[in-house]
Amino acid sequence: MNNKRGSLILKVIIYVVCVFLAILSIAPFYIMIINATRSTVQIQQHAISLLPSTYMMKNIAILLGKSFNPANGFVNSLIISTGATLCAVYFSNMTAYGLVVYNWRFRRPFFSFIMAIMMIPAQITMIGFYQMVYRIHMTNNFLMLILPAIASPSMVFFMRQYMLPSLSMEIIQAARIDGAGEFYIFNRIAMPIMKPAIATQAIFCFVSSWNNLFTPLVLLTDQKKYTMPIMVSLLRGDIYKTEYGSVYMGLALTVLPLIVVYLILSRYIISGVALGGVKG
Amino acid sequence: MKRKHSGYAKWGYIFCLPFTIAFLIFTLYPIIFTTVIGFTDCKGLGTVKFHFLVDDPFLNFKNILANPSFQKSFRNTIGMWICNFIPQIGLALLLTAWFTDNRNHIKGKGLFKVLFYMPNIITAATVAILFNALIGYPMGPVNDILMTLGITDQPINFQVNKAVARGSVSFIQFWTWYGYTMIILISGVLGISPEIFESAEVDGASRIQTFFYITIPNLKTILLFTLVTSLIGGLQMFDIPKLFLLGGPDNATLTTSVFIYNQAFSGSYLYNRASAASMIMFIIICAASAVLFFTMRDKDEAELEKLTKQQEREYRKMQKERRKSHE
């Protein structure tokens, strides 16, 4: 009896904590969306309102009247993130395939090497990277943000772990007997088998490229080339200091697409995160 | 068995070539270049020429290590990381214990996971500016809530109070990452053989005993993974401290990454000093990831190595004994 009561109390505590945390996750975004439709005066009087107001279009007009250009940032981020994701996914699979299928002399050392460089952060090498890019006059060139994705050690690691059990040597042998070339086998047989792994890794690569602030902030100086995070950072500037409503609007415009995509893909994303942990 | 495929060995090199080339150009060369610049007088916007510091090659490193702003930023980075990591891992472990205990029958676990993880997917730059708007003074949403609930009588100015500012950065980091950590830990627990839990239940172990004597010891590797990856991420904290309070008030939320960025790319263009600071951070991160590398290395491989060595030792011992007996 006592035990039953204890677990009931525990259950209540669990739900209270979880609901509180859920509200904590949603509230900032809810306040943001509501305030995006309110005027600066309304926000100054009461910073929180449960109901939207009618100043949405006005806030958008003020927002776009200054240097904020979300459509442009959206397109730029889309180009960079898509390019980086395609490069990372294709070449990581290629490298993993080289490590799994062929028996070559430096196979083991090369894999150890990939594990060793997995943690090297791009930020630390930024001064040298910037100087290199500056010398070849490639700042403001999206390729410098896309091509480095070809060497994504952690994705190679993940793809190899997935490929080892799922790609059987018999299929490859059979294809070879049928006269298929090595690249044909990789593109037409190995890549389709890797689809589930590609899907989760592509989502994460895309999101981290989309959210990256540091590298684009260093390399891109041309306003027309700004990515979404740089565009967002403009909202912190003096020109929007007194325009609370339009700052919320600017933030909402950048967040909403992400939230919608997240809610659609949440199942894959959560299981992808879980997989990332198991590799450890 | 592998021998007969050796004709295909060259394809291994070909398939790994693009990765290697991209690594050499975009990672290795910048590392070397950054190191080199750390030993030169390279500064000023658009400078490409530089001279090595012949008199005192380590001048930049000495300057950086003696720089009060750098020291402060390093202390801030570590401090804010600790204040975010301890509650983060604590809450994640608690939620993991609750969510993986079948006796609890919690409904809506999937929804909770989705919501807890959501902040992690949102652009950190946006999160930083959103929180900056939320803590507005004198009338921001956070102050509105605190005053309505009667927690404070007067609005708090988050932008002036140093301790509050640091705490806020830690809180934002905590808020963005605890969901991620929780999902990783849950998947770790699900990887533990269920029989262990069943036998513990049969033996009459309480929930708390099960958690401390079975769950935690079995999660050791994953906890280490979380600790090291979080530390490496924390040492590079940039977006949130940079945009939330711009490193202020009075450098209270300045992190090493923001320091390096400010040195190199805004105002002073001191590439040489920024490089020296980068290399110092690089060494620290390498040390942290070395720990991870040696624990994550294929365990089978390590055991195999041990076994071979043991066999060799035994073989040598046998030979020695044989020689002795011959004598």
Side-chain angles (χ1 to χ4, degrees):
Chain A
M1 188 65 212
N2 200 12
N3 201 0
K4 229 177 191 176
R5 203 156 165 208
S7 37
L8 188 71
I9 293 171
L10 179 69
K11 214 168 172 180
V12 171
I13 294 174
I14 292 174
Y15 278 113
V16 169
V17 170
C18 287
V19 169
F20 173 75
L21 290 171
I23 292 173
L24 203 62
S25 283
I26 299 169
F29 302 112
Y30 183 75
I31 295 172
M32 172 190 76
I33 292 166
I34 296 295
N35 280 354
T37 66
R38 302 170 72 214
S39 76
T40 300
V41 178
Q42 284 175 330
I43 294 170
Q44 275 175 324
Q45 276 162 354
H46 274 285
I48 292 186
S49 158
L50 291 177
L51 298 171
S53 179
T54 52
Y55 286 84
M56 190 172 104
M57 294 324 279
K58 235 178 210 165
N59 283 336
I60 292 181
I62 296 171
L63 181 73
L64 300 182
K66 299 183 180 179
S67 51
F68 194 77
N69 191 345
N72 198 1
F74 194 88
V75 171
N76 290 340
S77 281
L78 200 64
I79 294 169
I80 294 171
S81 305
T82 311
T85 307
L86 289 177
C87 280
V89 165
Y90 187 74
F91 289 105
S92 297
N93 265 303
M94 188 185 255
T95 314
Y97 189 82
L99 281 167
V100 169
V101 172
Y102 304 107
N103 195 19
W104 41 297
R105 202 170 155 202
F106 298 108
R107 172 157 87 159
R108 280 189 158 257
F110 190 71
F111 181 61
S112 299
F113 166 74
I114 283 178
M115 279 182 69
I117 60 172
M118 235 156 67
M119 292 294 171
I120 295 180
Q123 275 183 29
I124 295 302
T125 64
M126 192 49 67
I127 315 287
F129 186 67
Y130 172 76
Q131 281 277 333
M132 174 183 94
V133 174
Y134 187 83
R135 273 158 200 246
I136 54 171
H137 307 290
M138 294 281 268
T139 53
N140 287 320
N141 191 322
F142 288 165
L143 281 180
M144 290 296 113
L145 296 164
I146 294 173
L147 294 180
I150 292 173
S152 310
S154 51
M155 202 193 277
V156 174
F157 180 81
F158 183 90
M159 291 299 180
R160 177 191 177 263
Q161 303 304 83
Y162 189 88
M163 205 181 273
L164 271 177
S166 41
L167 185 69
S168 77
M169 284 305 284
E170 279 106 58
I171 298 178
I172 295 168
Q173 291 295 358
R176 277 178 188 157
I177 291 164
D178 290 346
E182 296 302 307
F183 272 100
Y184 183 89
I185 297 173
F186 168 67
N187 286 324
R188 293 300 168 86
I189 296 169
M191 286 296 270
I193 289 174
M194 295 297 290
K195 254 184 200 160
I198 290 172
T200 48
Q201 287 295 298
I203 294 172
F204 287 107
C205 182
F206 191 90
V207 168
S208 68
S209 173
W210 183 276
N211 288 344
N212 186 10
L213 173 70
F214 195 84
T215 323
L217 195 62
V218 169
L219 291 187
L220 305 176
T221 49
D222 183 356
Q223 285 239 350
K224 278 181 238 138
K225 303 272 171 119
Y226 279 180
T227 59
M228 213 57 174
I230 305 183
M231 213 53 100
V232 169
S233 72
L234 295 177
L235 294 172
R236 188 71 173 77
D238 285 333
I239 43 170
Y240 292 105
K241 204 149 206 175
T242 50
E243 300 291 352
Y244 296 125
S246 36
V247 168
Y248 282 113
M249 179 51 95
L251 294 171
L253 285 179
T254 65
V255 166
L256 280 178
L258 270 176
I259 291 185
V260 170
V261 172
Y262 172 63
L263 292 180
I264 294 169
L265 298 176
S266 59
R267 203 168 276 266
Y268 300 97
I269 294 175
I270 301 288
S271 56
V273 175
L275 261 177
V278 172
K279 82 184 178 190
Chain B
M1 161 224 159
K2 291 273 160 73
R3 279 282 157 209
K4 60 183 172 189
H5 305 317
S6 62
Y8 289 106
K10 69 166 190 209
W11 287 100
Y13 295 96
I14 294 171
F15 272 83
C16 293
L17 195 63
F19 178 96
T20 314
I21 293 172
F23 173 79
L24 291 178
I25 298 174
F26 296 112
T27 307
L28 189 66
Y29 182 70
I31 292 177
I32 295 168
F33 207 179
T34 309
T35 318
V36 168
I37 291 172
F39 292 100
T40 66
D41 62 353
C42 180
K43 59 185 164 191
L45 180 61
T47 308
V48 285
K49 280 183 191 149
F50 52 74
H51 308 280
F52 283 98
L53 300 167
V54 185
D55 305 336
D56 188 357
F58 289 97
L59 184 68
N60 293 319
F61 291 87
K62 282 177 193 160
N63 275 338
I64 282 295
L65 288 172
N67 186 324
S69 290
F70 181 75
Q71 292 169 355
K72 192 169 191 184
S73 70
F74 189 72
R75 278 199 301 271
N76 288 341
T77 311
I78 299 288
M80 289 193 292
W81 175 73
I82 291 174
C83 290
N84 126 56
F85 187 73
I86 291 173
Q88 179 190 318
I89 199 86
L91 181 64
L93 276 171
L94 183 68
L95 291 171
T96 304
W98 284 347
F99 279 18
T100 52
D101 192 335
N102 291 329
R103 283 170 280 187
N104 285 337
H105 302 292
I106 302 166
K107 278 179 192 146
K109 269 190 247 180
L111 179 68
F112 285 131
K113 276 191 206 172
V114 168
L115 289 177
F116 296 170
Y117 182 70
M118 189 171 70
N120 196 267
I121 214 93
I122 308 295
T123 316
T126 307
V127 168
I129 292 169
L130 176 58
F131 271 85
N132 179 261
L134 293 179
I135 58 151
Y137 177 85
M139 264 322 264
V142 172
N143 274 320
D144 207 352
I145 293 173
L146 291 179
M147 281 162 73
T148 319
L149 293 177
I151 295 170
T152 53
D153 302 330
Q154 285 185 329
I156 301 169
N157 193 341
F158 289 84
Q159 318 215 21
V160 170
N161 189 323
K162 288 184 197 175
V164 175
R166 272 193 211 113
S168 306
V169 173
S170 296
F171 173 78
I172 300 172
Q173 294 280 351
F174 158 81
W175 180 75
T176 359
W177 286 100
Y178 80 89
Y180 168 84
T181 309
M182 177 194 81
I183 293 171
I184 298 249
L185 294 181
I186 288 177
S187 81
V189 172
L190 295 181
I192 303 171
S193 153
E195 285 150 27
I196 304 178
F197 287 110
E198 273 160 30
S199 57
E201 208 176 330
V202 171
D203 290 347
S206 73
R207 286 164 205 249
I208 296 170
Q209 281 172 327
T210 314
F211 183 72
F212 281 103
Y213 293 110
I214 294 173
T215 313
I216 299 249
N218 276 300
L219 280 181
K220 241 192 244 157
T221 322
I222 288 185
L223 283 172
L224 184 80
F225 170 80
T226 318
L227 175 79
V228 176
T229 46
S230 168
L231 177 64
I232 292 172
L235 287 171
Q236 303 171 66
M237 213 191 297
F238 177 75
D239 304 20
I240 287 171
K242 169 85 182 153
L243 292 174
F244 178 55
L245 295 172
L246 311 175
D250 190 23
N251 287 350
T253 58
L254 185 79
T255 60
T256 47
S257 285
V258 179
F259 174 84
I260 290 169
Y261 179 84
N262 288 345
Q263 288 278 310
F265 301 109
S266 74
S268 39
Y269 301 100
L270 296 166
Y271 298 121
N272 52 353
R273 284 211 206 163
S275 295
S278 297
M279 289 331 287
I280 293 167
M281 294 312 290
F282 182 61
I283 290 165
I284 295 169
I285 289 173
C286 279
S289 55
V291 174
L292 189 66
F293 174 72
F294 284 111
T295 38
M296 267 177 57
R297 213 170 37 158
D298 256 350
K299 275 189 189 140
D300 305 334
E301 198 180 326
E303 258 160 42
L304 198 77
E305 244 169 57
K306 223 190 260 170
L307 208 73
T308 353
K309 268 186 193 160
Q310 212 176 327
Q311 279 172 342
E312 264 173 30
R313 230 176 289 141
E314 270 166 20
Y315 177 75
R316 249 176 265 146
K317 218 194 246 169
M318 250 165 56
Q319 290 223 317
K320 235 186 222 171
E321 274 165 16
R322 204 177 286 165
R323 240 176 279 150
K324 259 185 197 165
S325 62
H326 272 290
E327 282 164 11

